[in-house]
Amino acid sequence: QVQLVESGGGSVQAGGSLRVSCAASGSLFSIAAMSWYRQAPGKQRELVASLTAGDSTNYADSVKGRFTISRDSGKRTVYLQMNSLKPEDTAVYYCFYSAKLYPVGKWTDYWGQGTQVTVSS
């Protein structure tokens, strides 16, 4: 089965940087979108960044200019480079793929397990 495995989370001081990654355990026939979401305590999960076919990117206003989403050439791994981190960036970060395994398959949402990012003042 396909699983998304996240890594790279941790604790940093404000102004620091982290890069989180999300790797698919199996091959995917087609990927419509690769995204990063985050959820802070007491808040709803929010879209942070997305990468679509053609490598178009979109970012939440709160992270524009600081975060960069990218993927490897095989579209099996998506990255989120986080610079100039702020305490308000503290959250559990989740990767998300919209993909299908086969041409006849259904489009399916895949979620990573989440990785904690903590930014201290």
Side-chain angles (χ1 to χ4, degrees):
Q1 76 277 23
V2 174
Q3 292 186 342
L4 306 183
V5 180
E6 299 183 31
S7 62
S11 298
V12 297
Q13 291 189 334
S17 298
L18 284 173
R19 188 178 75 162
V20 291
S21 63
C22 176
S25 63
S27 297
L28 299 171
F29 175 77
S30 183
I31 301 174
M34 307 168 80
S35 305
W36 286 96
Y37 290 75
R38 68 185 181 187
Q39 187 166 19
K43 296 184 178 180
Q44 293 187 10
R45 188 172 300 185
E46 65 173 342
L47 178 64
V48 176
S50 64
L51 189 157
T52 61
D55 291 330
S56 297
T57 58
N58 287 283
Y59 298 93
D61 288 341
S62 60
V63 306
K64 284 182 178 178
R66 300 188 297 119
F67 290 11
T68 303
I69 186 171
S70 62
R71 61 168 176 81
D72 65 3
S73 60
K75 290 187 174 182
R76 298 224 305 143
T77 305
V78 64
Y79 305 93
L80 186 68
Q81 178 68 46
M82 301 178 287
N83 299 325
S84 301
L85 283 162
K86 305 174 181 179
E88 51 263 44
D89 294 319
T90 296
V92 177
Y93 284 71
Y94 299 89
C95 62
F96 167 86
Y97 290 16
S98 180
K100 59 181 178 181
L101 303 182
Y102 311 100
V104 72
K106 299 287 187 180
W107 289 104
T108 304
D109 295 342
Y110 297 93
W111 289 92
Q113 81 281 4
T115 185
Q116 177 71 47
V117 172
T118 302
V119 185
S120 301
S121 298

